[in-house]
Amino acid sequence: MIFRQLFDAVSGTYTYLLAGRPGGEALIIDPVIERVDRYLQLIGELDLKLVKAVDTHLHADHVSGLGALRDRTQCITVMGECSRVDVVSMRVADGDRVQIEGVDLEALYTPGHTDDSFCFRTADRVFTGDTLLIRGSGRTDLPGGDARAQYQSLFGRLLRLPDETLVYPGHDYKGETVSTIGEERRFNPRLQVKSADAYVELMGNLKLGNPKMMDVAVPANMKVGLHQEEIARRGWAATAQEAMSMIGRPDTVLIDLRECAERARHGVIPGSVHVPYPSLAQSTCAGGVLHSFAAGGGKRLLFYCAFGERSAMAVQAAQEAGLSCACHLQGGLAAWKAAGGALESLPSG
Ligand SMILES: [Fe+2]
């Protein structure tokens, strides 16, 4: 596995770049907006293709690089299902997997620092965001924080991982880079408490000032979504109501861009064809399945995904590839469901 721990000295943030092999797909965790050029340079130097950008939670101390990375690489943005951000491409729940070629992360819902905090683990390491820090833990006194929930996340989830699991935190302010679960269990002062009540009391007495960037970072990070209005302005969007009237027409092909796990969990729009977002480029070029639908079959392509981000990017890519009949379901399956659109569940297994 290719693994890089990158540091933003201004906010004390660690960003992690993971990939399965040189020349393969890459995933980034907790990117900082001011460092986006550096990430893209490194990704280019390592001959990687960024396909997913993940934030462990809604950050209060720096502006996330998720939106900028999405706009520059058309990667998929990922956060927890209860995050208050306007739009990300994909939302995960506890136990979901965030996968790219050669990398498989398990999402652990660990609220406490915020109500949308997730940790992500592989076989030998865990990216703990601001839930568990080296010899510390993320503050719980900002909006969405809950010390009692964090106690449960720490003692009920993270400390149950094997002792040798490497701990890669979201921040460090003293130059520490990595620890282990066993080391933190024994030496982290926040983890020496005897009860949840004692932890709540400890966290309640920290008397911390607000992060310097908080007034800027939180509103900015809640607006990371792709501006789907621009796609609509160009006439490339269909509302859920409009999409309903297009379903079943012989001149329209409905294309689901989501991953298999999302389709299994949330259902699919009846009659849709599955073309996962990462395979879009090969599908829209000459000889690809979507190219033959559109160019050869004269059909209209109607893309959809979870929230309309991937489909908006797909429309742009299809239009650039010369498929002028492409449009997308604005707001994705979430808008479709809200409008009462029909869904069918996939057979399990
Ligand atoms: Fe944080």
Side-chain angles (χ1 to χ4, degrees), residues 54-58 79-84 91-98 105-121 126-132 143-161 265:
V54 183
D55 262 357
T56 53
H57 63 285
L58 179 64
M79 287 187 78
E81 60 181 354
C82 49
S83 251
R84 288 172 292 138
R91 290 179 181 268
V92 292
D94 186 55
D96 280 355
R97 317 222 61 120
V98 178
L105 300 175
E106 181 187 357
L108 307 177
Y109 181 44
T110 52
H113 171 62
T114 61
D115 54 9
D116 69 342
S117 289
F118 273 79
C119 297
F120 294 92
R121 75 176 283 224
V126 59
F127 301 96
T128 55
D130 291 355
T131 301
L132 176 62
D146 181 337
R148 196 167 295 276
Q150 191 174 57
Y151 176 88
Q152 179 56 33
S153 295
L154 290 166
F155 285 83
R157 303 297 304 272
L158 291 179
L159 292 189
R160 293 191 177 182
L161 298 176
R265 168 107 73 97

Side-chain angles (χ1 to χ4, degrees), residues 44-67:
E45 287 165 352
L46 299 177
D47 189 26
L48 300 172
K49 176 176 169 45
L50 185 68
V51 296
K52 283 185 182 161
V54 183
D55 262 357
T56 53
H57 63 285
L58 179 64
H59 297 287
D61 61 338
H62 67 269
V63 176
S64 167
L66 246 59

Side-chain angles (χ1 to χ4, degrees), residues 34 47 65-66 79 117 132 191 196 223 239 244 281 283 291 311 339:
E34 288 86 359
D47 189 26
L66 246 59
M79 287 187 78
S117 289
L132 176 62
L191 303 181
K223 290 194 174 59
T239 64
M244 279 179 213
S283 305
H291 189 273
S311 57

